[in-house]
Amino acid sequence: MNILAIETSCDETALCYIEVHPTETGAAFTVHSNITHTQLEHKEYGGVFPVIAKREHQINLPLILNQVMKDRPVPDYICVTTGPGLEPALWCGIVFAKELSAKWDVPVIPVNHMEGHILSVLVPNTHPSVSAPLIKMNQGFDNTFSYESNALQFPALALLISGGHTELVLARAIGDYTIIGKTRDDAVGEAFDKAARLMGLDYPGGPEIDRYALQYKDQEKPTFPRPMIHTRDFDFSFSGLKTAVLYYIQSLGSVLTEDQKAAIAYEFQEAATEVLVTKTKKAIEHYGAQTLIVGGGVSANKRIITGLQTMLAQEFPDTSFHAPARTLTGDNSLMIAIAGYFKIQKNPDAVYTDIKAQGNLEL
Ligand code: KG4
Ligand code: ZN
């Protein structure tokens, strides 16, 4: 079957066209085209501005569609992200999908964005992807990977970390999820972005803090809290960490030197990593997880990935670890196509009516 997938939940306008064939042991995927356009227009505002996101999605969707559909037949299904995300942004993708559905007489399959992040790990790490400013997006390529039905052992635990979410999800099978813990205030990516802003760094702040932390070399550094690290539940809190950064910068009382930025970035990243790793460890233990999955924009952070891998090697050597390919950590449509495929496969005759944006949709 051929699938066109559309993702517009935040500030990425992403479309892809894939072909999937079930095999005896799983499925064979061919990615014919996969384009992710990151809207750079938000940079000057230091965060995602919904009105601008909507405007840019509306401008870019038809342009990217032309590229993605080049030399391709009408797909059998259109998969679209319906939530969670920014509602004005989600609606752009949904309305676009519905228009194409009417034009081509093809069903629309609603897909949960967070399930997409979980299943993004099914794409091998070596998979190339296109992530480029719009003007450069002329690449179309054929790329094949296979899925084996025993690739993920269940129960699995997914740590989803992005600018909008911080969640621990228990997966009993593909399509069967329970959120067992989440942030009570800021998402971890949001905390990275806010801390970076306090330090005078660019948006998005996650990669900036990551970069500065690497420059830390034993200078004097602050000590930040590890919020909720000892609570018995699997919830998180990151707003206190950001406030600690604010107070520390105020206490220094002058413009930050490069050394001070490196020390703050290092300690911030250590605190965030320690909390994420500790809560994940408790959850693996509690649920006997056979597999640990990490996904979302913050999973591009090498320190967090290494922290999780070290913890697994020491405590749960039999639990396998899956992180997305670097180009698929952030929002993309390939993960939506994959999640859509499994949804179609599970329930081929389902008819989805009343498809609408659900900003706070849970798994
Ligand atoms: O998944 P994503 O692209 O969008 C959503 O929020 O859904 O995640 C974006 C977030 C931003 O907060 C960004 O600062 C963070 O991911 N991020 C990182 C890194 N790269 C991106 N955070 C920490 N370290 C990184 N290397
Ligand atoms: Zn996301």
Side-chain angles (χ1 to χ4, degrees):
M1 77 176 72
N2 292 321
I3 295 176
L4 172 74
I6 304 171
E7 154 66 41
T8 62
S9 68
C10 194
D11 58 343
E12 267 83 24
T13 315
L15 284 90
C16 71
Y17 188 105
I18 70 166
E19 187 178 339
V20 195
H21 295 284
T23 60
E24 265 175 33
T25 53
F29 289 81
T30 301
V31 183
H32 288 292
S33 54
N34 175 28
I35 294 176
T36 305
H37 168 63
T38 299
Q39 302 172 355
L40 301 176
E41 290 75 9
H42 303 280
K43 256 188 185 304
E44 62 183 290
Y45 300 96
V48 180
F49 215 81
V51 178
I52 293 176
K54 181 178 169 184
R55 184 193 71 197
E56 293 301 310
H57 285 313
Q58 284 170 336
I59 294 171
N60 293 326
L61 276 166
L63 302 178
I64 302 178
L65 180 78
N66 275 343
Q67 300 278 334
V68 165
M69 287 297 298
K70 206 159 173 255
D71 304 326
R72 293 287 143 214
V74 166
D76 302 300
Y77 296 91
I78 302 169
C79 296
V80 66
T81 306
T82 53
L86 297 171
E87 290 208 0
L90 288 163
W91 271 120
C92 296
I94 295 169
V95 168
F96 194 68
K98 286 185 180 179
E99 283 168 3
L100 293 173
S101 156
K103 183 170 144 195
W104 292 335
D105 192 21
V106 166
V108 179
I109 312 295
V111 175
N112 185 299
H113 181 83
M114 303 314 284
E115 179 171 23
H117 276 305
I118 295 174
L119 298 181
S120 67
V121 301
L122 295 180
V123 184
N125 261 321
T126 50
H127 184 78
S129 240
V130 180
S131 174
L134 198 53
I135 33 166
K136 283 201 192 151
M137 49 161 225
N138 54 0
Q139 294 93 330
F141 53 85
D142 285 358
N143 195 277
T144 303
F145 63 94
S146 61
Y147 159 74
E148 300 297 327
S149 54
N150 62 358
L152 302 175
Q153 295 293 314
F154 296 99
L157 191 74
L159 173 68
L160 302 180
I161 42 180
S162 73
H165 292 87
T166 302
E167 286 175 359
L168 272 168
V169 177
L170 179 69
R172 291 184 191 81
I174 289 180
D176 180 354
Y177 310 106
T178 308
I179 298 174
I180 58 161
K182 58 183 170 186
T183 182
R184 297 192 181 173
D185 40 56
D186 291 352
V188 62
E190 188 180 356
F192 268 91
D193 294 339
K194 287 178 175 171
R197 197 173 186 178
L198 292 169
M199 293 161 65
L201 307 180
D202 273 354
Y203 175 84
E208 290 291 295
I209 291 196
D210 193 342
R211 198 164 57 81
Y212 266 95
L214 286 174
Q215 289 163 26
Y216 175 71
K217 290 189 195 67
D218 280 340
Q219 303 92 322
E220 187 186 325
K221 69 165 185 62
T223 303
F224 294 145
R226 273 64 173 153
M228 292 186 67
I229 197 163
H230 296 304
T231 59
R232 291 171 67 86
D233 54 31
F234 304 111
D235 283 348
F236 301 92
S237 164
F238 289 102
S239 72
L241 188 50
K242 164 206 69 194
T243 311
V245 173
L246 172 68
Y247 288 158
Y248 181 70
I249 293 175
Q250 283 174 345
S251 76
L252 293 174
S254 57
V255 177
L256 296 178
T257 63
E258 292 296 286
D259 272 359
Q260 286 168 335
K261 285 181 190 171
I264 296 170
Y266 176 84
E267 173 63 6
F268 178 90
Q269 191 170 273
E270 287 304 304
T273 303
E274 222 176 284
V275 173
L276 291 170
V277 170
T278 304
K279 285 285 163 111
T280 304
K281 178 179 147 196
K282 278 186 197 168
I284 293 174
E285 200 159 39
H286 187 86
Y287 291 98
Q290 307 282 297
T291 302
L292 174 62
I293 292 168
V294 61
V298 182
S299 65
N301 187 287
K302 288 203 189 63
R303 174 68 187 100
I304 294 173
I305 294 293
T306 316
L308 291 168
Q309 284 174 320
T310 307
M311 175 272 290
L312 277 190
Q314 285 171 355
E315 309 281 337
F316 311 101
D318 296 333
T319 300
S320 64
F321 182 66
H322 300 261
R326 175 68 188 83
T327 47
L328 299 179
T329 53
D331 293 344
N332 66 87
S333 58
L334 186 49
M335 68 184 196
I336 302 305
I338 295 169
Y341 166 72
F342 284 105
K343 193 164 178 175
I344 296 162
Q345 202 207 22
K346 196 170 170 188
N347 211 342
D349 300 322
V351 177
Y352 300 95
T353 52
D354 193 27
I355 295 177
K356 55 178 190 281
Q358 292 172 277
N360 297 318
L361 184 66
E362 294 219 325
L363 268 162

